[in-house]
Amino acid sequence: MCRFTLYLGPPVRLSSLLTEPQHSLIHQSYHSRERAEPLNGDGFGVGWFAPRLTWEPAVYHDVSPAWNNRNLKSIAKVVTSPCILAHVRAATPGSEVNLANCHPFQYGAYLLMHNGHIGGFRKVRRRLLEELTEEAFDVVRGSTDTEHLFALFVDEIVRHGCPIHMPPKRGGESVTDGPITDPPLELANRLHAAVRRVMRLVEEHGEDAPSMLNVAVSDGVHAAVCRFSDSPDGKPESLYFRQGEVYEPAGRMFEESRRGDEEGEAYLVSSERLTDDPGWGAVPPNHMVVLSRNTEARVLAMTEDGLVAPE
Amino acid sequence: MCRFTLYLGPPVRLSSLLTEPQHSLIHQSYHSRERAEPLNGDGFGVGWFAPRLTWEPAVYHDVSPAWNNRNLKSIAKVVTSPCILAHVRAATPGSEVNLANCHPFQYGAYLLMHNGHIGGFRKVRRRLLEELTEEAFDVVRGSTDTEHLFALFVDEIVRHGCPIHMPPKRGGESVTDGPITDPPLELANRLHAAVRRVMRLVEEHGEDAPSMLNVAVSDGVHAAVCRFSDSPDGKPESLYFRQGEVYEPAGRMFEESRRGDEEGEAYLVSSERLTDDPGWGAVPPNHMVVLSRNTEARVLAMTEDGLVAPE
Amino acid sequence: MCRFTLYLGPPVRLSSLLTEPQHSLIHQSYHSRERAEPLNGDGFGVGWFAPRLTWEPAVYHDVSPAWNNRNLKSIAKVVTSPCILAHVRAATPGSEVNLANCHPFQYGAYLLMHNGHIGGFRKVRRRLLEELTEEAFDVVRGSTDTEHLFALFVDEIVRHGCPIHMPPKRGGESVTDGPITDPPLELANRLHAAVRRVMRLVEEHGEDAPSMLNVAVSDGVHAAVCRFSDSPDGKPESLYFRQGEVYEPAGRMFEESRRGDEEGEAYLVSSERLTDDPGWGAVPPNHMVVLSRNTEARVLAMTEDGLVAPE
Amino acid sequence: MCRFTLYLGPPVRLSSLLTEPQHSLIHQSYHSRERAEPLNGDGFGVGWFAPRLTWEPAVYHDVSPAWNNRNLKSIAKVVTSPCILAHVRAATPGSEVNLANCHPFQYGAYLLMHNGHIGGFRKVRRRLLEELTEEAFDVVRGSTDTEHLFALFVDEIVRHGCPIHMPPKRGGESVTDGPITDPPLELANRLHAAVRRVMRLVEEHGEDAPSMLNVAVSDGVHAAVCRFSDSPDGKPESLYFRQGEVYEPAGRMFEESRRGDEEGEAYLVSSERLTDDPGWGAVPPNHMVVLSRNTEARVLAMTEDGLVAPE
């Protein structure tokens, strides 16, 4: 079922998420606390942005577990980034473990990762593909439900535009429905629309199977992370949010310090809390966290009419 | 563009194809002679049958090159089989190298491998998927043109039956068009039909790009291997055929010896000749080799009306 | 700390150990029951013999976990062997995970695997290497304590001969101390001597750190498996023994059936019991199981004077 | 036999060496021009320094070929460094391909990579290990001649000190023979001493087999690269040197541009010329290039009395 962590804020080292905290993502790869099965050893992936060099993120995937990967630990010490998406995978039984099936998935400037599953995916897959534009259809390389959800997200971008970083991976026109006044919300709307489309497809074809959709997307400047489940009885997968000044993780508690001349809040959205720091709060079920380097964070409710501020 | 070798006959060790001959398949992985580019280092795969134990073949895939794979060399010395399909991959530029994209592909008792490419595949892919039955659609896990051609082959089996080994991978009914009197030809017809369907799709959607389709299929008892190209000027990829008594490769020349109480001819169909043995002959362009453990080999012409004996 | 299973008897499929039993070795790779840490995901290895083809065993190693390895599951269904050594690794913290460090280790006809650790190994390593003959020194390719113990075992064979399969990996003379009347005991004596030498080295250089040495060796016909720890208070790692007629594992209980015309008892020695079958008994601490295809099993005490029958 | 490239100068992207030039290192991994065998597909490694974050370099190794590694291409676009050591491996026949055997090797702040071989290494290995201090002995994890040469280099540092970055990997005292007035020369002397010790060992034990020792070392600020062979008749492996202003590789020719406020020369030492740029010159046989961020480059002759300025 996977675990993930997203960071957005002043640049920090990848190790601040992956190795240094007491309950780092690598720790979660073998000792996850909030899943029935503690193990997430079916591969991992890290995506990060280097905006001073390029709009395009880098992605590092491997099918071996995170806990014994020397490359990952080595790279994490020397790479800093203002936007990091890291994921450790627990493959749905029957789903192949290979490089095509690692998160985060990438399209142009966009990264997406997911914890959960699409209900009745095998029945849904074909119908989902049929709805896609040519450009979004072309995105799919593997066989995971996540990648197909990602294709829907890309489809939404192709149809309705995207906040910044216009060059899609393979050129082609992107249609914008009008001037973008609220870029992070725009990004969040695309994710929300993709989730709603998946839920409609599941309802029509998925034979009532429940879905769990904790999904994170980012373009390096804006990010949206949702905590969604369609089962009124079942608990959605865990998701936590933390914001504050720049962090230097140290043992059990984050130290807060302001770094150099990098301004702005630092945000973390994570399947499990990386530290015991009391600053972590649970994201409410069926809500989406909407983030940007230079605006305030928002937590909006995911309704059938779109994203709305909670009561 | 890949190289492959198929063996059908009395059981031999995998090493008879993979390591022992002077121009073994592993040798071809770095010193291919009949391709512009000698290198086939983007992964490999070996499928083989153990009919005394099960109808289901085993498949061993790896994304690393064949020439330095210790597991492959170790296993090859101790595994014998009457039917072996081995492949070394040169990925089409832009095609991902991962486990989902290794040949041979497997569905139930069927293995398929390919050397070549489908012309204009990116334009063809979606139309091809639309034609498939649910069962065949479900086969696709990766992004190669070969796997999509395989899905067409499976589609043909689902629609028109298969010679033996009825259990398809996921149960379900298989329709037979009538009693099967000539099983190897039946198998060959399915491959031929798949090739014709691909060519039709390419003609309709592939924007005139040429295709090279050297394809081998087998169910462990019957095999069919075609050498096909749709370009009248261009040369199809190389393919050779050899038959005789049981072999023990030794250096440059195959030694011929009869093994134990295993009867029957031994057949080899291979992108390049494994030895200097004069017994190798080129398969004519646009012809298919039709093989079975207990019938004579046939080489039939691939025409628009089906497989026919040559003049 | 690892888990392993050894089989000796009429040929069975690898899947009888690796996948089919309810608590198969692959199940133990993520749900080990008798270790503090249930995870053994730092690679695996399977060695097996094909005596009708060659005296040399095959070995298949991978650094990725056993539970998601498709090759392993595929191969296990079609390979049968009268002698199988299978191992899943939990790397000692600080020990590298790479192909050089996978068990079982191989030298000529000999395979060895281990669960445990050599106390104070980093202090012992150099002194151990200094004692070795040139031939045994040459064996070491990686950095594990197990491989160095294996080098001691090979050193014992080089110095004192081996029961059968004389060709050592790199030629050279093997000294036999006299006619071998009891080959399985001869093999067991070599392992016992290697264990005693390790313990002496640890005592002299290892700074009193405790050692756990559950070790299995085989040459395809004979096998010896010891359960050893030098700490009088601490429990040694678990080890179980089972013997009986030929098995076809089925769910929770082994079915007992006699296969074809293959005679002889079937033996299993395993870190954990593969099934609930009451036939499993614990190997007493500091004892060695001595096995052969054509003699009765013995369980001998490991004393400073050698292997002796228990009171 | 391998190919490598070292860069020292104002920060550039890894892609400037690995992918962008026409004859980039990745191009050399399958189309090496100055070796009999064009293929270097037995793994690769990149080490680089991030001095603003830490003195410790990062290292990324893989056993699969460089040409199809998506992670490498992705990371190379977003990582910049003032000091980069990159290597593609062609394993000496018989040498294992695994993660323990990838270059560059790392010890504390030091990286080393090598193209060539130590003559008669199997006879030399044991004698070499016997000479090492405990700290240097502990460095060896695999089985390559390169790693053992690296252990000698570390031994020299342990015995005679090192220019900067005193913390060796495992603590312990470093003995400095006096104030270091010429740090890059100090580093070069250590490498030279290691090469001389290897040659002495080969002479005493290596049975007259020739050695090829093109070796590069760096601590992130200083670097030394030698081109050495002990055979008067044979040609040493190729090695080229280029210096100039900061580069942005573009097609066949380097463009020269000065980047931001980063001062200093940019140096490249490479098995083969990355571009057709006339600025490349061959390093004379048995000479060593001595580099530093803030001193002039020197090319010194490797004599029995040490490194001396050429006539």
Side-chain angles (χ1 to χ4, degrees):
Chain A
M1 271 269 158
C2 316
R3 304 281 76 179
F4 67 65
T5 296
L6 176 147
Y7 174 86
L8 186 69
V12 293
R13 280 189 283 193
L14 303 192
S15 54
S16 307
L17 277 58
L18 294 178
T19 56
E20 295 177 40
Q22 188 170 43
H23 194 49
S24 68
L25 193 65
I26 286 187
H27 192 249
Q28 294 176 40
S29 69
Y30 60 99
H31 267 160
S32 168
R33 295 175 180 152
E34 304 199 35
R35 289 186 59 227
E37 169 58 63
L39 189 58
N40 296 275
D42 294 323
F44 67 87
V46 186
W48 72 92
F49 291 80
R52 294 188 187 179
L53 289 174
T54 170
W55 54 267
E56 197 178 357
V59 179
Y60 174 54
H61 286 147
D62 206 304
V63 291
S64 68
W67 66 74
N68 65 25
N69 195 283
R70 294 184 71 187
N71 289 333
L72 184 63
K73 294 173 188 173
S74 187
I75 291 170
K77 292 185 201 174
V78 300
V79 171
T80 63
S81 179
C83 181
I84 305 164
L85 281 76
H87 181 276
V88 289
R89 187 173 181 226
T92 314
S95 182
E96 289 80 11
V97 173
N98 62 54
L99 286 171
N101 290 347
C102 291
H103 315 204
F105 293 92
Q106 177 184 3
Y107 174 78
Y110 295 92
L111 296 179
L112 179 149
M113 57 187 178
H114 168 229
N115 158 221
H117 60 272
I118 294 176
F121 174 62
R122 277 187 54 190
K123 299 282 177 185
V124 164
R125 181 186 181 200
R126 192 170 200 173
R127 306 282 87 81
L128 183 158
L129 286 172
E130 285 166 3
E131 293 190 3
L132 301 175
T133 53
E134 289 297 318
E135 186 162 358
F137 178 89
D138 228 9
V139 156
V140 179
R141 302 279 137 183
S143 58
T144 57
D145 51 2
T146 303
E147 194 185 28
H148 288 72
L149 168 63
F150 180 56
L152 276 175
F153 169 75
V154 169
D155 199 58
E156 286 295 310
I157 287 174
V158 169
R159 290 175 191 273
H160 304 294
C162 42
I164 65 174
H165 301 304
M166 293 306 288
K169 188 171 182 188
R170 291 190 200 58
E173 293 271 324
S174 294
V175 176
T176 312
D177 285 355
I180 297 176
T181 54
D182 189 344
L185 184 61
E186 195 80 5
L187 181 71
N189 282 335
R190 300 294 172 266
L191 176 57
H192 184 65
V195 169
R196 295 228 58 77
R197 283 173 70 178
V198 162
M199 296 317 304
R200 174 181 45 75
L201 285 159
V202 172
E203 190 181 322
E204 290 173 8
H205 306 287
E207 296 173 341
D208 264 350
S211 301
M212 304 276 239
L213 300 172
N214 284 19
V215 189
V217 296
S218 182
D219 56 16
V221 176
H222 319 102
V225 191
C226 67
R227 182 186 187 200
F228 184 87
S229 164
D230 71 329
S231 163
D233 309 321
K235 272 171 48 89
E237 293 282 317
S238 60
L239 193 67
Y240 297 88
F241 174 50
R242 187 193 194 297
Q243 70 179 81
E245 294 195 2
V246 176
Y247 303 115
E248 200 58 65
R252 290 195 78 83
M253 299 295 293
F254 279 115
E255 288 172 10
E256 307 208 23
S257 60
R258 183 155 298 280
R259 204 188 271 285
D261 54 7
E262 280 276 358
E263 298 282 325
E265 289 281 271
Y267 304 108
L268 279 155
V269 190
S270 189
S271 300
E272 300 189 15
R273 288 156 289 185
L274 302 184
T275 64
D276 289 348
D277 189 311
W280 295 92
V283 175
N286 297 0
H287 279 64
M288 189 179 305
V289 183
V290 182
L291 302 170
S292 164
R293 285 300 310 276
N294 40 34
T295 60
E296 290 214 7
R298 282 166 283 181
V299 181
L300 306 178
M302 300 170 71
T303 77
E304 289 189 12
D305 303 317
L307 296 171
V308 300
E311 300 298 309
Chain B
M1 273 265 154
C2 316
R3 304 281 76 178
F4 67 64
T5 297
L6 177 146
Y7 174 87
L8 185 70
V12 292
R13 281 190 281 193
L14 302 192
S15 54
S16 306
L17 277 56
L18 295 176
T19 56
E20 294 176 41
Q22 186 170 42
H23 195 48
S24 68
L25 194 66
I26 286 187
H27 192 248
Q28 294 175 41
S29 71
Y30 61 98
H31 266 160
S32 168
R33 295 176 181 152
E34 302 198 37
R35 289 186 58 227
E37 169 58 60
L39 190 58
N40 296 273
D42 294 323
F44 67 86
V46 185
W48 72 91
F49 290 81
R52 293 187 189 181
L53 289 175
T54 170
W55 54 267
E56 196 178 359
V59 179
Y60 174 54
H61 286 147
D62 205 304
V63 291
S64 68
W67 65 74
N68 64 26
N69 195 284
R70 294 184 72 187
N71 289 332
L72 183 63
K73 293 173 190 173
S74 188
I75 291 170
K77 291 185 202 176
V78 300
V79 171
T80 62
S81 180
C83 179
I84 305 164
L85 282 74
H87 181 276
V88 289
R89 188 174 180 226
T92 313
S95 182
E96 289 80 10
V97 174
N98 61 53
L99 286 172
N101 290 347
C102 290
H103 315 206
F105 293 93
Q106 177 185 3
Y107 175 79
Y110 295 92
L111 295 180
L112 179 149
M113 57 188 179
H114 168 228
N115 158 220
H117 60 272
I118 295 176
F121 174 62
R122 276 186 55 191
K123 299 280 178 186
V124 165
R125 182 186 180 199
R126 190 168 204 176
R127 307 281 87 83
L128 184 157
L129 285 173
E130 286 167 0
E131 293 191 1
L132 301 176
T133 55
E134 289 296 318
E135 186 163 0
F137 177 88
D138 228 11
V139 156
V140 180
R141 303 278 139 184
S143 58
T144 58
D145 52 1
T146 302
E147 193 185 28
H148 288 72
L149 168 63
F150 181 56
L152 276 175
F153 170 75
V154 169
D155 199 58
E156 287 294 312
I157 288 173
V158 169
R159 292 176 189 272
H160 304 295
C162 41
I164 65 173
H165 300 302
M166 292 307 287
K169 188 171 180 187
R170 290 188 202 56
E173 294 270 325
S174 293
V175 175
T176 313
D177 286 355
I180 297 176
T181 53
D182 189 344
L185 183 62
E186 195 80 4
L187 180 72
N189 282 335
R190 301 292 173 266
L191 176 57
H192 185 65
V195 169
R196 294 228 58 77
R197 283 174 69 178
V198 161
M199 296 317 304
R200 175 182 44 75
L201 285 159
V202 171
E203 190 180 322
E204 289 172 8
H205 307 286
E207 297 174 340
D208 264 350
S211 301
M212 303 277 238
L213 300 171
N214 284 19
V215 189
V217 297
S218 180
D219 56 17
V221 175
H222 320 101
V225 190
C226 67
R227 182 186 187 201
F228 184 86
S229 164
D230 71 330
S231 163
D233 310 321
K235 271 172 48 86
E237 292 281 318
S238 59
L239 192 68
Y240 297 88
F241 174 50
R242 187 192 195 297
Q243 69 179 80
E245 294 195 3
V246 177
Y247 305 114
E248 201 58 64
R252 290 195 77 81
M253 300 293 293
F254 277 116
E255 289 172 12
E256 307 209 22
S257 61
R258 182 157 296 280
R259 202 190 272 285
D261 53 8
E262 279 277 358
E263 299 281 326
E265 288 282 272
Y267 304 109
L268 279 156
V269 190
S270 188
S271 300
E272 301 190 14
R273 289 156 288 185
L274 302 183
T275 63
D276 289 348
D277 188 311
W280 295 91
V283 175
N286 300 358
H287 280 63
M288 189 179 306
V289 182
V290 181
L291 302 170
S292 163
R293 284 298 312 274
N294 40 34
T295 59
E296 290 213 7
R298 282 166 283 181
V299 181
L300 306 178
M302 301 170 71
T303 76
E304 288 188 13
D305 302 317
L307 296 171
V308 301
E311 300 300 307
Chain C
M1 272 270 157
C2 314
R3 303 281 77 179
F4 67 64
T5 297
L6 177 146
Y7 174 86
L8 186 70
V12 294
R13 280 188 283 194
L14 303 191
S15 53
S16 307
L17 277 56
L18 295 177
T19 56
E20 293 177 41
Q22 187 171 44
H23 193 49
S24 67
L25 193 66
I26 286 186
H27 192 248
Q28 294 176 40
S29 70
Y30 60 98
H31 267 159
S32 169
R33 294 176 182 154
E34 303 199 35
R35 289 185 59 227
E37 168 59 61
L39 189 59
N40 296 274
D42 294 322
F44 67 87
V46 186
W48 73 92
F49 290 81
R52 293 187 188 181
L53 289 174
T54 170
W55 54 267
E56 195 178 359
V59 179
Y60 175 55
H61 286 147
D62 205 305
V63 292
S64 68
W67 65 75
N68 65 27
N69 194 283
R70 293 184 72 188
N71 289 332
L72 183 63
K73 293 173 189 174
S74 187
I75 291 170
K77 292 185 201 175
V78 299
V79 170
T80 63
S81 179
C83 180
I84 306 164
L85 281 75
H87 181 275
V88 288
R89 187 173 181 226
T92 313
S95 182
E96 289 80 11
V97 174
N98 62 53
L99 287 172
N101 290 346
C102 291
H103 314 204
F105 293 93
Q106 176 184 2
Y107 174 77
Y110 295 92
L111 296 180
L112 179 149
M113 58 189 179
H114 167 228
N115 158 220
H117 61 271
I118 294 176
F121 174 61
R122 276 186 55 190
K123 299 282 179 184
V124 164
R125 181 185 181 201
R126 193 169 200 174
R127 306 282 89 80
L128 184 157
L129 286 172
E130 285 167 2
E131 293 191 3
L132 300 177
T133 54
E134 289 295 319
E135 187 162 357
F137 178 88
D138 229 11
V139 156
V140 179
R141 301 280 137 184
S143 58
T144 58
D145 52 2
T146 303
E147 194 185 27
H148 287 72
L149 168 63
F150 181 56
L152 276 175
F153 170 75
V154 169
D155 198 58
E156 287 294 311
I157 287 174
V158 168
R159 291 176 191 272
H160 304 295
C162 42
I164 65 174
H165 301 301
M166 293 308 287
K169 188 169 181 190
R170 290 190 200 56
E173 294 271 323
S174 292
V175 175
T176 313
D177 285 357
I180 297 176
T181 54
D182 189 344
L185 184 61
E186 195 78 6
L187 181 71
N189 282 336
R190 301 291 172 267
L191 176 58
H192 184 66
V195 169
R196 296 228 57 76
R197 282 173 70 177
V198 162
M199 296 317 303
R200 174 181 46 75
L201 285 159
V202 172
E203 189 181 324
E204 289 172 9
H205 306 286
E207 296 174 341
D208 263 350
S211 301
M212 303 276 236
L213 299 171
N214 284 19
V215 189
V217 296
S218 181
D219 56 15
V221 175
H222 320 102
V225 191
C226 68
R227 183 185 186 201
F228 184 86
S229 163
D230 71 328
S231 162
D233 308 323
K235 271 172 48 88
E237 293 282 318
S238 60
L239 194 67
Y240 297 88
F241 174 51
R242 187 193 195 297
Q243 70 178 80
E245 295 195 0
V246 176
Y247 304 113
E248 199 59 64
R252 290 194 80 81
M253 300 294 294
F254 277 116
E255 288 171 11
E256 307 209 21
S257 61
R258 183 156 297 281
R259 201 190 275 285
D261 52 8
E262 279 277 357
E263 298 281 325
E265 289 281 272
Y267 304 108
L268 280 156
V269 189
S270 187
S271 300
E272 301 191 14
R273 289 156 289 186
L274 302 184
T275 63
D276 289 348
D277 188 310
W280 295 92
V283 175
N286 298 359
H287 279 64
M288 190 178 306
V289 183
V290 182
L291 302 171
S292 163
R293 285 299 309 275
N294 40 35
T295 59
E296 290 213 9
R298 284 166 281 181
V299 180
L300 306 179
M302 300 171 71
T303 77
E304 288 188 14
D305 302 317
L307 296 172
V308 300
E311 300 299 312
Chain D
M1 275 264 154
C2 315
R3 305 280 77 178
F4 68 64
T5 297
L6 176 147
Y7 174 86
L8 186 70
V12 293
R13 279 188 283 193
L14 302 191
S15 54
S16 306
L17 277 57
L18 295 177
T19 56
E20 294 176 41
Q22 186 170 46
H23 194 48
S24 68
L25 193 65
I26 287 186
H27 192 248
Q28 295 175 41
S29 70
Y30 60 99
H31 267 159
S32 168
R33 293 175 183 154
E34 303 198 35
R35 289 186 57 226
E37 169 59 59
L39 190 59
N40 296 274
D42 294 322
F44 67 88
V46 186
W48 72 92
F49 290 81
R52 294 187 187 181
L53 290 174
T54 169
W55 55 267
E56 195 178 357
V59 179
Y60 174 54
H61 286 146
D62 206 305
V63 292
S64 68
W67 66 75
N68 64 26
N69 195 284
R70 294 183 73 187
N71 288 332
L72 182 63
K73 293 173 190 175
S74 188
I75 292 170
K77 291 185 202 177
V78 300
V79 170
T80 63
S81 178
C83 181
I84 305 163
L85 282 75
H87 181 275
V88 289
R89 186 174 182 226
T92 313
S95 182
E96 289 81 8
V97 174
N98 62 53
L99 285 171
N101 291 346
C102 291
H103 314 204
F105 293 93
Q106 177 184 1
Y107 174 77
Y110 294 92
L111 296 180
L112 180 149
M113 56 188 180
H114 168 227
N115 158 220
H117 61 273
I118 293 177
F121 175 61
R122 276 187 54 191
K123 300 283 178 183
V124 164
R125 182 184 180 201
R126 192 168 200 174
R127 307 281 88 80
L128 184 157
L129 286 172
E130 285 167 1
E131 293 191 2
L132 301 176
T133 54
E134 288 296 319
E135 187 162 358
F137 178 88
D138 228 11
V139 156
V140 179
R141 302 278 138 184
S143 58
T144 57
D145 51 3
T146 303
E147 194 185 27
H148 288 71
L149 168 63
F150 181 56
L152 276 175
F153 169 76
V154 169
D155 198 58
E156 286 295 310
I157 288 174
V158 168
R159 292 176 189 271
H160 303 296
C162 41
I164 65 172
H165 301 302
M166 292 308 288
K169 187 170 181 190
R170 290 190 200 59
E173 294 271 324
S174 292
V175 175
T176 313
D177 286 355
I180 297 176
T181 53
D182 190 342
L185 184 61
E186 195 80 6
L187 180 71
N189 282 336
R190 301 292 173 266
L191 177 58
H192 185 64
V195 169
R196 294 228 58 77
R197 283 174 69 178
V198 161
M199 296 318 303
R200 175 181 44 77
L201 285 159
V202 170
E203 190 182 321
E204 289 172 10
H205 306 287
E207 296 173 340
D208 264 350
S211 301
M212 303 276 237
L213 300 171
N214 283 19
V215 188
V217 296
S218 181
D219 56 16
V221 175
H222 320 102
V225 191
C226 68
R227 182 185 187 201
F228 184 86
S229 163
D230 71 329
S231 163
D233 308 323
K235 271 173 47 88
E237 292 282 318
S238 60
L239 193 67
Y240 296 89
F241 174 50
R242 189 193 193 295
Q243 70 179 80
E245 294 196 1
V246 176
Y247 304 116
E248 200 59 64
R252 290 193 78 80
M253 299 295 294
F254 278 114
E255 288 172 13
E256 307 208 24
S257 61
R258 182 156 297 279
R259 201 189 274 284
D261 53 7
E262 279 277 355
E263 299 282 324
E265 289 280 274
Y267 303 109
L268 280 156
V269 189
S270 188
S271 299
E272 301 190 15
R273 289 156 288 187
L274 302 185
T275 63
D276 289 348
D277 189 311
W280 295 92
V283 175
N286 298 0
H287 279 64
M288 190 180 304
V289 183
V290 182
L291 302 171
S292 163
R293 285 299 310 275
N294 41 33
T295 59
E296 289 212 8
R298 283 167 282 182
V299 180
L300 305 178
M302 301 170 70
T303 76
E304 287 187 16
D305 303 316
L307 296 171
V308 300
E311 300 298 311

